[in-house]
Amino acid sequence: MTTGFLRSEFFHNYKRSTSAIVGSGLMLFFAACVLIGPFLVTQNPYDIASLDLMDSYKPPMWLEGGDSRFPLGTDGQGRDVWASILYGARISVFIGLVAMIASCTIGTLLGLIAGFYGGVVDSVIMRIADIQLSFPSILIALFLMSAVGTGVDKVLIALTAVGWVVYARTVRGSTLSEIEKEYVQAAKVAGLPNHKIIRKHVLPNVLTPLIVIATIQVGTFVLIEASLSFLGVGVPITQPSLGLLIKNGFDVLFSGLWWTSVFPGFAIMTLVFGINLFGDFLRDELNPRLK
Amino acid sequence: MFGYLLKRLIQMTLVLWVVSVIVFLMMSFTGDPVFMVVPIDATDSEIAQARRLLGLDQSPLVQYWRFLTSLVQGDFGQSYVFRQPAMTLILERLPATVEMVLVAMVMAVAVAIPLGVYAGANPEGRLSRTIMAGSLLGISLPGFWVGMVLIYLFAVHWGVFPSSGRGDTAELFGLRISLLTWDGWHHIILPAVTLSLGTMAILLRMTRAGMMEVGRQDFMKFARAKGATRHDVLYKHGLKNALIPVVTIFGLQLGDLIAFATITETIFSWPGMGKLLIDSIYRADRPVIVVYLMLVALIFVVINFLVDLVYTLIDPRISLK
């Protein structure tokens, strides 16, 4: 299995693609930060007892007045910016991943149903998708959040509500071409129940294009969540994601305290850039048509 | 042609109707608007009376019907905060937003098309790779963060551009326009650059992909063979054919720019309708949110329609059906 992968064309191309290596490297680095990050820092930014107001607004350590305990400086409560980023990245990545999985599941299901059964169900699902696609995701999410209020769960719902459409469309398209094929016809003639044909035969054959969409979507979701939180309609202040860190930093930017907002932005950029680089590589690999 | 227009008109109305239903449904989740209009120390009977006056004591269906009929009549109600017609508030701020979106769009196109054509014509070149990496970075950056960094560098640190507001405006046909004054230009540069980056990156990538696609086709070889200059081959033969998908994206991007303008306007305190929307969301000023959403929905529907029309102009092979 392993040697098979190491010899595969996919791995061969991977080794030769700088962008794929850099992209996956950034993603891995980020994953490591999210997983073990909190063990790397001594301060828990959520634990008020570990904060000291005497440490507030310390610049990054390489600037005058910096403190080696706080490599990227501190915010107004004496919170270590580096520690806040490590904790905030967890929330951002969690939201991005969970919303992607939810969107993918719901979208794939609706796409399969629409493509397999056709008729009224198909029309209804696809018209909803059409209408939704004519509006920018960020605006729909902003509108939903303004109606339901802040909260991690609500951000997840809003992101899923805008995210399912791409999967439904793609899966419906592939399903339509799959059900014409002989193996599905054969399964029908053999008398398999519909749900079994969908699950065992159609589903595995429509999944490949979703890998690219799902990869890129995590990055898109992290950005949308950050924008919502920046506008104050995303996560609550008790669970500050990277976007909320930037918002908090923005409030003191005009006093010249740039580090509380600039570094969380770099973190988002690193993650999303890594995802997009790797996603581009995946797109080229999995879509032979574009080669 | 006429049949097509009629069909599209019905479709557009239908979309707007669906949007009105969704807006109405979502708005009924956002808490009780009666508390926005009564004073804090209102008695129960006063609250009940206000509720009756607002028609909130009626069934949801009746309420929706009243909502829809007033929408159709162009009556969007009074802002709870400003005590002015919500429509007037939005329309007052519309020019500022449109202005910023247009400047951002022009910037994006002016940079994206030449760079995209270049990167598509020389896919392996070092400069092309740099351009592509830059464009990927462009879609990976949180726009609001870029705006903040620009504010810090250009307004706080170097002090060369103002950090907020719209500056002086001049009047043209009763509209207040910043682009007619030097000070207005001075104020619009930073927000417009912030807003344009994402669109610039996407248009660039689409142009490049389109150019690479047409580059392989016979008419390009033929154009080269007949001795057309490199510029003519790329721009007259190549770009014209590569533009079709770009036009679709262009339409979608115009919508995205209007949406992202809400964020950019918030950062730069740009007095447009996007900032008004965000402020109204904070204050639960329902009528203003409704006007904004319906107006923006109308704009998007019209943009999509225009994009389809433009298609037929650039590509006679596509017919209106």
Side-chain angles (χ1 to χ4, degrees):
Chain A
M1 177 69 198
T2 330
T3 49
F5 175 73
L6 289 176
R7 283 184 188 175
S8 67
E9 193 197 347
F10 181 84
F11 189 66
H12 177 76
N13 290 339
Y14 173 80
K15 278 188 300 185
R16 294 179 42 190
S17 160
T18 325
S19 61
I21 293 173
V22 173
S24 52
L26 288 175
M27 281 163 73
L28 280 178
F29 169 71
F30 219 87
C33 285
V34 164
L35 289 174
I36 60 165
F39 301 105
L40 295 176
V41 287
T42 47
Q43 191 193 53
N44 175 357
Y46 302 116
D47 180 10
I48 296 173
S50 74
L51 306 179
D52 186 349
L53 276 180
M54 295 298 287
D55 293 331
S56 62
Y57 295 132
K58 290 240 193 267
M61 59 188 259
W62 59 87
L63 292 178
E64 203 187 319
D67 187 325
S68 62
R69 283 180 302 153
F70 309 113
L72 302 180
T74 59
D75 71 1
Q77 273 87 47
R79 210 176 269 129
D80 183 11
V81 170
W82 171 232
S84 312
I85 291 177
L86 289 177
Y87 278 81
R90 298 191 124 187
I91 296 164
S92 295
V93 170
F94 170 81
I95 290 177
L97 280 178
V98 173
M100 178 274 281
I101 293 167
S103 307
C104 186
T105 313
I106 294 172
T108 307
L109 196 69
L110 289 175
L112 282 171
I113 293 172
F116 193 86
Y117 293 101
V120 184
V121 197
D122 181 29
S123 308
V124 171
I125 295 177
M126 285 304 125
R127 284 304 82 73
I128 296 175
D130 283 345
I131 293 180
Q132 211 176 311
L133 276 181
S134 53
F135 296 94
S137 321
I138 179 82
L139 200 63
I140 300 176
L142 179 63
F143 170 55
L144 291 177
M145 293 306 293
S146 72
V148 296
T150 59
V152 170
D153 48 342
K154 286 160 187 161
V155 175
L156 288 175
I157 294 171
L159 290 178
T160 310
V162 296
W164 67 275
V165 180
V166 268
Y167 299 98
R169 283 209 151 185
T170 316
V171 168
R172 173 182 176 270
S174 341
T175 305
L176 282 179
S177 68
E178 286 304 316
I179 54 175
E180 293 299 315
K181 292 187 181 163
E182 280 169 354
Y183 72 95
V184 176
Q185 301 296 340
K188 274 188 181 166
V189 174
L192 252 67
N194 281 341
H195 67 89
K196 216 166 194 173
I197 301 179
I198 294 179
R199 204 156 31 100
K200 299 253 166 164
H201 297 281
V202 182
L203 180 61
N205 287 303
V206 299
L207 284 180
T208 316
L210 303 189
I211 298 172
V212 180
I213 301 179
T215 310
I216 306 247
Q217 196 177 55
V218 177
T220 318
F221 278 169
V222 168
L223 283 180
I224 297 182
E225 182 277 319
S227 306
L228 293 175
S229 298
F230 180 80
L231 290 173
V233 290
V235 294
I237 43 169
T238 47
Q239 287 165 298
S241 65
L242 293 173
L244 196 58
L245 292 179
I246 298 177
K247 176 194 163 60
N248 295 339
F250 182 52
D251 298 337
V252 295
L253 184 73
F254 291 95
S255 328
L257 307 166
W258 52 270
W259 53 90
T260 51
S261 50
V262 167
F263 291 123
F266 272 124
I268 297 184
M269 183 184 84
T270 316
L271 172 66
V272 181
F273 187 57
I275 290 176
N276 283 337
L277 271 178
F278 190 66
D280 260 16
F281 164 74
L282 278 183
R283 188 187 352 245
D284 294 345
E285 280 309 301
L286 300 176
N287 265 347
R289 203 163 47 88
L290 297 175
K291 266 190 189 172
Chain B
M1 182 69 185
F2 180 73
Y4 172 79
L5 289 180
L6 192 70
K7 202 178 133 201
R8 280 306 296 254
L9 201 65
I10 296 172
Q11 259 178 19
M12 286 156 73
T13 319
L14 210 62
V15 170
L16 288 177
W17 174 71
V18 173
V19 172
S20 83
V21 174
I22 296 171
V23 167
F24 178 78
L25 282 177
M26 294 308 294
M27 283 297 128
S28 50
F29 281 118
T30 50
D32 198 338
V34 82
F35 294 108
M36 291 301 303
V37 289
V38 297
I40 294 175
D41 54 351
T43 60
D44 281 353
S45 67
E46 278 171 335
I47 292 177
Q49 195 192 0
R51 201 181 292 276
R52 235 186 345 271
L53 278 172
L54 290 171
L56 293 169
D57 53 342
Q58 279 153 330
S59 78
L61 264 179
V62 175
Q63 282 192 47
Y64 175 70
W65 180 247
R66 287 175 31 142
F67 173 77
L68 189 66
T69 44
S70 49
L71 279 193
V72 173
Q73 289 163 0
D75 170 20
F76 294 86
Q78 298 252 326
S79 154
Y80 298 150
V81 178
F82 295 92
R83 309 281 165 187
Q84 281 178 44
M87 193 65 179
T88 320
L89 284 172
I90 293 272
L91 288 181
E92 270 173 7
R93 287 161 177 77
L94 184 65
T97 300
V98 169
E99 198 168 64
M100 189 167 82
V101 165
L102 287 183
V103 173
M105 195 45 132
V106 170
M107 281 180 181
V109 170
V111 175
I113 302 281
L115 290 187
V117 170
Y118 178 84
N122 317 283
E124 300 300 325
R126 177 166 294 176
L127 184 58
S128 301
R129 287 178 187 276
T130 315
I131 292 173
M132 291 314 289
S135 75
L136 202 64
L137 203 58
I139 52 175
S140 311
L141 287 169
F144 58 91
W145 181 73
V146 175
M148 277 178 36
V149 172
L150 291 180
I151 287 183
Y152 179 72
L153 291 178
F154 290 95
V156 180
H157 200 72
W158 291 321
V160 284
F161 285 112
S163 67
S164 65
R166 201 178 165 198
D168 294 338
T169 52
E171 216 159 284
L172 184 72
F173 309 123
L175 299 172
R176 291 174 59 221
I177 313 276
S178 333
L179 297 185
L180 297 175
T181 66
W182 178 240
D183 190 46
W185 274 102
H186 200 210
H187 278 80
I188 210 172
I189 294 290
L190 286 189
V193 167
T194 305
L195 190 59
S196 71
L197 284 183
T199 298
M200 199 182 281
I202 290 171
L203 284 181
L204 196 162
R205 297 175 77 78
M206 289 300 297
T207 313
R208 170 183 172 267
M211 286 303 286
M212 287 177 72
E213 188 92 28
V214 295
R216 283 194 285 266
Q217 294 187 22
D218 288 341
F219 66 80
M220 292 289 278
K221 279 182 203 151
F222 187 75
R224 254 176 250 132
K226 79 173 183 191
T229 62
R230 186 175 158 78
H231 181 272
D232 278 2
V233 172
L234 286 181
Y235 283 87
K236 282 198 183 151
H237 298 269
L239 183 61
K240 201 177 165 206
N241 286 286
L243 269 182
I244 296 161
V246 178
V247 167
T248 323
I249 297 293
F250 185 84
L252 287 174
Q253 283 301 313
L254 212 51
D256 269 14
L257 284 181
I258 294 174
F260 278 105
T262 54
I263 301 171
T264 314
E265 286 174 7
T266 307
I267 305 169
F268 289 93
S269 305
W270 186 261
M273 60 175 189
K275 185 173 185 324
L276 179 68
L277 172 76
I278 303 295
D279 293 344
S280 302
I281 287 175
Y282 290 149
R283 301 173 187 139
D285 196 349
R286 216 189 263 193
V288 179
I289 303 177
V290 170
V291 182
Y292 178 89
L293 290 172
M294 293 310 300
L295 186 70
V296 164
L298 181 70
I299 294 176
F300 289 169
V301 166
V302 171
I303 290 176
N304 287 339
F305 171 64
L306 291 179
V307 165
D308 286 354
L309 281 187
V310 171
Y311 261 170
T312 55
L313 292 180
I314 14 177
D315 191 351
R317 285 170 300 182
I318 301 173
S319 67
L320 294 175
K321 279 214 185 81

